[in-house]
Amino acid sequence: MTQTYEFPQGFRLLSAYFDRASQEALLAHIREVVTKAPLFQPRMPRTNAPLSVRMSNCGSLGWVADKNGYRYQPDHPDTGEPWPEMPKMLLDLWEGVSGYEAPPQACLINWYDGGAKMGLHQDKDEENLVAPVVSVSLGDTGVFRLGGLTRKAPTRSMKLSSGDVVVLGGASRLCYHGIDRIMPGTSTLLRQSGRINLTLRRVTPL
Ligand code: MD3
Ligand code: FE
């Protein structure tokens, strides 16, 4: 018995939204951000177990995870410095695809090495669950899994390639999702194998 997967309302995959030159320009901005706000190792609340993905942020707020919990905060967990400004390219992307009236406050940078993955989860740490999430993939292809509103709902897997943009609006905003694995050697954008994902978010109401 196999179940069919119904794509959630509000999910949009914009394949190859950024061409190679734009990906290189965006990557240069992200490298500058992580020079000022070094990648940190997020940890699971309570167990303190490290996640396999390293992270940083730009914008007025950044998502952090440590033994005390998951939260947004205005400063870097290791350096205490404010997060770097969000590059204009990302503000323009949000304006172009989000359909939301206010700008994003947080850009989470997820940096995957060849073996990193992200388990199935929901994004619920934002006060504002009405604004969409906008995601950009750079570097090696990631095998992305999108599910439904419960952990047991059917899921469907799809590849996210360098330059792809995903918009998670409407019902898709609260769907379970994760990254099963990355496919090393599928892109020449980065100097080494790996994948970068950017997620733009509105954290608070207007
Ligand atoms: C579906 N990032 O940062 S991006 C995350 O590739 C996260 O690093 C993954 O899940 C990554 O929370 C997936 C695509 C994505 C982002 C946010 C979503 C899918 C989503 C929020 C709700 C539903
Ligand atoms: Fe997520």
Side-chain angles (χ1 to χ4, degrees):
M1 245 272 283
T2 93
Q3 290 189 79
T4 62
Y5 183 80
E6 289 274 2
F7 274 94
Q9 172 270 326
F11 171 83
R12 279 194 295 154
L13 169 55
L14 310 175
S15 290
Y17 183 92
F18 288 113
D19 65 13
R20 174 71 183 216
S22 304
Q23 293 170 40
E24 285 171 0
L26 187 50
L27 177 61
H29 290 301
I30 297 307
R31 288 198 189 285
E32 179 152 345
V33 167
V34 301
T35 302
K36 296 177 185 158
L39 294 166
F40 62 90
Q41 185 86 75
R43 289 177 178 272
M44 301 276 282
R46 305 210 323 271
T47 66
N48 212 31
L51 306 192
S52 59
V53 179
R54 288 176 302 153
M55 298 180 170
S56 187
N57 292 273
C58 53
S60 54
L61 291 171
W63 189 84
V64 302
D66 62 23
K67 62 178 184 317
N68 298 318
Y70 302 127
R71 63 192 175 277
Y72 284 89
Q73 63 181 45
D75 47 17
H76 192 288
D78 299 333
T79 69
E81 295 287 326
W83 300 109
E85 267 186 44
M86 192 152 347
K88 178 161 187 299
M89 278 184 82
L90 294 176
L91 297 173
D92 290 347
L93 168 66
W94 177 272
E95 189 160 304
V97 306
S98 75
Y100 199 73
E101 57 268 37
Q105 293 162 305
C107 171
L108 173 63
I109 300 164
N110 292 149
W111 202 297
Y112 295 78
D113 68 21
K117 56 192 167 52
M118 187 178 286
L120 209 63
H121 66 278
Q122 282 176 305
D123 290 14
K124 293 202 297 194
D125 299 322
E126 302 74 26
E127 249 181 273
N128 185 334
L129 296 174
V130 174
V133 174
V134 175
S135 135
V136 185
S137 293
L138 295 172
D140 285 334
T141 298
V143 181
F144 172 64
R145 182 174 297 279
L146 183 62
L149 295 174
T150 65
R151 190 174 279 286
K152 292 162 74 171
T155 65
R156 136 108 198 224
S157 151
M158 63 201 95
K159 289 177 181 172
L160 296 181
S161 305
S162 197
D164 289 354
V165 167
V166 182
V167 182
L168 296 308
S172 73
R173 177 66 180 76
L174 286 171
C175 287
Y176 277 86
H177 60 280
I179 295 289
D180 291 344
R181 62 191 169 86
I182 73 153
M183 301 170 72
T186 45
S187 164
T188 58
L189 185 71
L190 305 183
R191 299 193 271 250
Q192 300 176 339
S193 71
R195 171 175 182 268
I196 298 169
N197 182 265
L198 311 175
T199 47
L200 308 181
R201 293 187 173 85
R202 183 80 200 175
V203 179
T204 65
L206 299 189

